[in-house]
Amino acid sequence: MALVSAVGLFDTIGPSPFLDGFTLRDFTPSGGPRIRFAVAGEGPPLLLLHGHPQTHVTWRKIAPALARRFTVVAMDLRGYGDSAKPEGGADHVNYSKREMARDPVALMAALGFRRFDVAGHDRGGRVAHRMALDHPDAVRRLAVFDIAPTATMYARTDKDFATRYFWWFFLIQPHPFPERLIASDPEYFLRTHIDGQSKTPGATESEAFAEYLRCYSDPATRHAICEDYRAAAGIDLDHDAADAGTRVQAPVLALWGALGTVGRTYDVLETWRDKAVEVSGRALDCGHTLQEERPEEVLDELLAFFGG
């Protein structure tokens, strides 16, 4: 059933098949793309943002426990999952982290939350970083998983990083080059990507992989993902340069995988202390996808940090 509000349209889809106790809903803000999200719980608001190539389903192992302490909103970023996939626009502006950050702010406000906590993995962490800069009154506390700041990673790129994170340089190539190559075997590309980043066999169980593949099989999703990365290598760097003197005011928790590229390449806390006034965090014994590889430890860290 659709519910029209002053700020947009809500539709209820039904129970989530992956996040126990959650309801799937769509939100279409006035003038913005439709956003798919799952919601459950009561208490202080907590927003969860996934990365590439996952969807909100990546939070399935910890979201139900978090919902016992918080009102948890796990959304699909624009272009990903079952959210809308707008055209990229000039300079890929519609997939700039500035534009992508507007969606969760609008969603949370429509749900009645003007200020909230946020945890973001991978691309979701980059959206959350921009959100904390552009909407400082909205973000109370910020947790980022297995990333260093985008501008830092590009500025320090060397052969080792370019080899390990080749997709940062493949996906940004002009349309339709990467889209057509991935289209030849999306399952192989997705499987290779996930298996290469995870250091915990079986962490992405077959049902979750099938869901990720369902979404990745859509050509519009693959194009949107490329647009996300193209924006990161262009307009996002322009925005970061303009804000080089601005630091995140919200407390930041940085968690990363000790066995992954980020943990092996950077002093993660040092990179974030250059961008935020208060930073804490640590490495976990895993690869890139912390919430799937070490869910119990991630849950403990988030409960402690967000004060659940």
Side-chain angles (χ1 to χ4, degrees):
M1 178 179 296
L3 174 64
V4 179
S5 74
V7 293
L9 175 70
F10 280 101
D11 279 301
T12 297
I13 309 302
S16 168
F18 287 95
L19 276 63
D20 186 40
F22 279 68
T23 299
L24 291 176
R25 304 182 72 187
D26 280 346
F27 172 61
T28 305
S30 302
R34 176 184 50 78
I35 297 298
R36 172 65 54 85
F37 68 101
V39 61
E42 297 180 357
L46 172 58
L47 173 68
L48 303 178
L49 301 177
H50 67 86
H52 169 258
Q54 290 84 18
T55 70
H56 77 273
V57 171
T58 196
W59 304 106
R60 64 195 177 280
K61 297 180 182 180
I62 66 171
L66 288 170
R68 292 196 286 268
R69 308 279 188 91
F70 302 92
T71 300
V72 177
V73 178
M75 60 169 273
D76 288 343
L77 298 170
R78 66 164 67 185
Y80 289 80
D82 290 308
S83 288
K85 292 136 181 80
E87 285 301 312
D91 297 326
H92 319 290
V93 64
N94 290 328
Y95 289 90
S96 67
K97 303 311 154 290
R98 174 158 286 162
E99 288 300 315
M100 293 178 77
R102 296 185 201 275
D103 300 335
V105 171
L107 169 61
M108 296 300 279
L111 291 171
F113 305 124
R114 296 287 179 180
R115 187 167 173 81
F116 49 88
D117 295 328
V118 56
H121 171 242
D122 188 76
R123 313 307 290 176
R126 303 188 191 286
V127 172
H129 180 201
R130 173 48 58 183
M131 188 192 316
L133 291 171
D134 287 359
H135 308 275
D137 291 339
V139 178
R140 190 184 78 97
R141 284 177 170 259
L142 167 64
V144 292
F145 291 3
D146 210 59
I147 61 170
T150 303
T152 302
M153 293 177 73
Y154 270 120
R156 300 185 188 179
T157 292
D158 58 14
K159 178 180 178 295
D160 184 62
F161 172 72
T163 301
R164 292 172 181 268
Y165 265 37
F166 75 91
W167 56 90
W168 271 44
F169 308 95
F170 170 58
L171 297 177
I172 68 176
Q173 298 304 310
H175 174 268
F177 179 66
E179 288 94 335
R180 289 189 64 174
L181 292 186
I182 298 170
S184 68
D185 197 340
E187 182 173 358
Y188 176 77
F189 185 86
L190 181 65
R191 175 78 69 183
T192 302
H193 188 89
I194 289 177
D195 288 351
Q197 288 201 292
S198 175
K199 306 304 178 185
T200 308
T204 301
E205 59 272 34
S206 60
E207 295 83 1
F209 180 83
E211 174 65 4
Y212 297 152
L213 179 59
R214 177 186 71 82
C215 298
Y216 220 80
S217 297
D218 182 353
T221 296
R222 299 194 298 269
H223 176 58
I225 287 166
C226 290
E227 290 294 281
D228 172 11
Y229 279 84
R230 289 168 181 142
I235 192 169
D236 286 348
L237 295 179
D238 294 337
H239 293 161
D240 287 345
D243 290 339
T246 304
R247 302 174 77 195
V248 173
Q249 297 300 303
V252 173
L253 172 69
L255 300 175
W256 65 94
L259 306 180
T261 296
V262 171
R264 290 176 172 177
T265 306
Y266 306 101
D267 180 336
V268 179
L269 293 181
E270 176 267 329
T271 69
W272 282 106
R273 284 170 179 153
D274 188 50
K275 303 295 183 182
V277 298
E278 181 183 336
V279 180
S280 60
R282 69 181 182 95
L284 304 183
D285 185 23
C286 63
H288 177 62
T289 316
L290 284 66
Q291 66 278 5
E292 297 193 6
E293 297 182 61
R294 291 290 183 269
E296 295 85 1
E297 292 178 66
V298 169
L299 179 62
D300 288 345
E301 290 285 347
L302 293 186
L303 289 175
F305 179 66
F306 292 132

